[in-house]
Amino acid sequence: MSRFTLAAGALCQRELLLLWRHKTNVLQPLIFYLIVMTLFPLALGHSAKLLARIAPGVAWVAALLSMLLSLENLFAKDHQDGSLEILLLSPQPLPALVLVKIFTHWLVTGLPIVLLTPLMALLMGMPDVSWHYLMLGLLLGTPSLSLVGAIGSALTVGLSSSGVLIALLMLPLYIPVLIFGSGLVVTAAAGLPVAGILAILGALLCLCIALAPLACGFALRVACQ
Amino acid sequence: MWTFFYKMSSGRSFYQLSGRFIPFFALASMLLFAYGLVGGLWLAPPDFQQGDAFRIIYIHVPSAFLSLMIFSVMTFCAVLSLVWRIKMADLILQVSCPLGAWFTALALATGSIWGKPMWGTYWVWDARLTSELILLFIYFGVIVLSHTIPEERTAAKASAILTLVGFVDIPIIHFSVNWWNTLHQGDTLKIFSKSTIAPSMLHPLLAMIGAFAFFYGWMCLSRARSLCLLKDKRARWVEELVKSW
């Protein structure tokens, strides 16, 4: 095994262990997601037709907000206890390590939201074809959200109250994913071909994987100077 | 050219050089404004379909153009600042940001005033309008970020990074009218082929775009100069400058 694989494995293990030991931090955004989803039927009235129509968009907005909530902790704790500096000093390429870190973060914040989709479909009375595509869209879209959000998290790493600031910086950049993600469900529900939208979501993800870790690494170096 | 950029990393030479540029920018901007306003609001004939309502184009198009141009200038400055660590690029970036936000807001406001009589609505969620609104939010983000980080160098670099990331929105705005079928009309001004606008309306419009651009250069440089003095307030050249007055 190369040294990088060892380092990446160790980092991955450490992240997962830390997340496991602070389960509440992981659960908070998920519970937030569930509660936000519950608010909409209560606020808009629970006519089945309306709910089925708005559910995909609502699910996307709720997923986006809950992922934002969890981003505050991505680098802040490591910055406080100094382990972030160890990461920066590592001989392995920083963007690759950051990518590993973001991926683990997505595993515990993004993936559960994707997996909760059938439950949401049940609650909101979504037709089968809608929630299948909602799930697929979330699977392709939430990693992009994690990657872009990580840039915001890295930019604001030394600041005391960064939650609202991250939202302010990153929500405008989330909009393309939101548009195509919810557009996917609408298009699929109308029975139109969806290959193009899936390709765009995939392309956005590739772009984010290629560029976001670089920007993140750079921002972290600036913040820790 | 590189010696020019290296010179620009010192506050003193920036202050002197920009002082020489400002009067030219101001004069050019005023002259072009005079021609553009008289030509656009008075001499140009009313539009065949829109009547006199089309004249808002002389504010709307230049401010929309500037909203994109300023962000591109900021991106260029961000590269200069991150790669070559030219301090004055940070200054230009910092002072450009509120100016860009104002031009974006002006473009959105005039566009929506124009939209009411022509499209029958102040706002539609069309690709160009939405991406311009996102640009405004990105400007807000850069402004907020640069004011929130207490340490000056870190703030400058962080806003440079955010500017680079936000630059993805610029091509989307520019090509939105080609990529999507939008209510907003396609490009009227073309560089490589004949513009789809009559010369009597076109020339004042180009003059107004030039006037806005020079106005931006003027405002940007004079604000950057004040900021430069403020940042170098302990330096000897500032002391000499103050004494010489």
Side-chain angles (χ1 to χ4, degrees):
Chain A
M1 273 206 293
S2 74
R3 288 196 174 169
F4 175 70
T5 343
L6 279 176
L11 181 63
C12 196
Q13 197 186 355
R14 171 182 178 270
E15 292 296 314
L16 286 174
L17 192 64
L18 273 179
L19 291 165
W20 178 252
R21 292 201 179 141
H22 300 95
K23 292 183 209 65
T24 44
N25 280 352
V26 179
L27 283 175
Q28 275 171 22
L30 273 183
I31 297 171
F32 175 81
Y33 175 70
L34 284 174
I35 293 177
V36 170
M37 288 297 281
T38 323
L39 291 181
F40 279 90
L42 300 179
L44 298 172
H46 37 76
S47 96
K49 219 172 161 187
L50 174 75
L51 280 187
R53 200 165 60 82
I54 61 163
V58 168
W60 263 103
V61 173
L64 206 138
L65 292 177
S66 89
M67 297 208 60
L68 263 183
L69 264 190
S70 62
L71 279 170
E72 206 180 337
N73 290 325
L74 182 56
F75 297 113
K77 287 233 169 79
D78 285 2
H79 182 67
Q80 278 163 12
D81 65 16
S83 47
L84 188 63
E85 280 165 31
I86 306 285
L87 199 71
L88 293 181
L89 289 173
S90 146
Q92 310 301 333
L94 181 62
L97 292 180
V98 168
L99 186 63
V100 171
K101 208 166 152 50
I102 298 170
F103 178 70
T104 9
H105 181 258
W106 175 77
L107 274 185
V108 291
T109 55
L111 194 60
I113 290 177
V114 178
L115 296 178
L116 274 177
T117 314
L119 181 64
M120 287 300 125
L122 196 77
L123 283 178
M124 308 290 272
M126 286 166 75
D128 275 354
V129 56
S130 294
W131 77 257
H132 290 159
Y133 278 102
L134 176 62
M135 203 160 165
L136 188 60
L138 283 171
L139 191 63
L140 275 173
T142 46
S144 312
L145 298 183
S146 281
L147 284 158
V148 173
I151 303 176
S153 187
L155 281 173
T156 57
V157 78
L159 304 176
S160 49
S161 58
S162 54
V164 184
L165 186 61
I166 296 181
L168 234 158
L169 301 183
M170 289 303 135
L171 279 178
L173 299 171
Y174 276 2
I175 291 173
V177 178
L178 176 72
I179 290 175
F180 290 111
S182 48
L184 176 72
V185 186
V186 176
T187 318
L192 298 168
V194 291
I197 301 182
L198 280 176
I200 290 179
L201 279 175
L204 284 174
L205 179 56
C206 293
L207 193 73
C208 289
I209 290 179
L211 297 180
L214 283 175
C216 252
F218 210 89
L220 285 176
R221 285 207 195 280
V222 167
C224 293
Q225 257 168 11
Chain B
M1 187 179 138
W2 292 119
T3 44
F4 170 76
F5 280 126
Y6 280 117
K7 239 182 161 179
M8 282 305 97
S9 23
S10 110
R12 185 183 189 172
S13 42
F14 173 79
Y15 187 85
Q16 285 170 346
L17 193 70
S18 58
R20 261 179 259 155
F21 271 112
I22 285 177
F24 290 110
F25 281 8
L27 188 68
S29 159
M30 285 300 145
L31 286 177
L32 286 169
F33 259 127
Y35 169 69
L37 285 177
V38 172
L41 300 186
W42 194 28
L43 297 179
D47 186 68
F48 167 62
Q49 278 178 326
Q50 305 188 4
D52 278 330
F54 95 97
R55 293 183 198 278
I56 200 167
I57 197 176
Y58 295 109
I59 304 296
H60 176 68
V61 171
S63 22
F65 179 82
L66 265 263
S67 70
L68 299 183
M69 191 191 92
I70 293 177
F71 208 88
S72 313
V73 170
M74 283 166 57
T75 312
F76 182 64
C77 288
V79 174
L80 284 184
S81 145
L82 289 178
V83 180
W84 289 287
R85 320 207 162 179
I86 295 171
K87 273 187 225 143
M88 295 307 123
D90 288 335
L91 280 187
I92 302 279
L93 196 151
Q94 201 185 334
V95 296
S96 292
C97 204
L99 289 170
W102 273 114
F103 280 117
T104 315
L106 192 62
L108 285 168
T110 51
S112 105
I113 294 168
W114 199 5
K116 185 64 184 169
M118 295 309 142
W119 298 341
T121 169
Y122 285 115
W123 186 261
V124 282
W125 289 100
D126 135 322
R128 178 159 269 190
L129 278 68
T130 313
S131 47
E132 185 80 7
L133 184 65
I134 297 174
L135 180 66
L136 182 64
F137 292 151
I138 295 177
Y139 272 121
F140 285 162
V142 181
I143 296 174
V144 171
L145 186 67
S146 66
H147 283 85
T148 318
I149 301 179
E151 215 274 309
E152 214 172 79
R153 286 295 292 154
T154 318
K157 286 197 162 181
S159 24
I161 296 173
L162 187 65
T163 310
L164 284 183
V165 174
F167 186 69
V168 289
D169 193 39
I170 299 297
I172 298 181
I173 298 179
H174 184 76
F175 292 111
S176 57
V177 281
N178 306 351
W179 291 346
W180 287 283
N181 235 337
T182 57
L183 186 56
H184 194 287
Q185 63 178 13
D187 293 334
T188 311
L189 301 176
K190 296 190 179 73
I191 302 176
F192 298 112
S193 52
K194 206 170 177 315
S195 296
T196 48
I197 179 172
S200 58
M201 295 174 178
L202 173 68
H203 294 155
L205 183 57
L206 292 178
M208 283 302 276
I209 292 178
F212 270 59
F214 279 117
F215 179 74
Y216 157 68
W218 174 19
M219 286 298 125
C220 173
L221 283 186
S222 39
R223 293 175 127 213
R225 263 160 73 91
S226 336
L227 209 60
C228 182
L229 283 183
L230 198 66
K231 283 198 173 156
D232 278 2
K233 63 185 168 214
R234 305 251 175 269
R236 173 171 293 193
W237 69 270
V238 179
E239 209 176 300
E240 283 166 8
L241 192 78
V242 173
K243 273 188 193 147
S244 70
W245 270 342

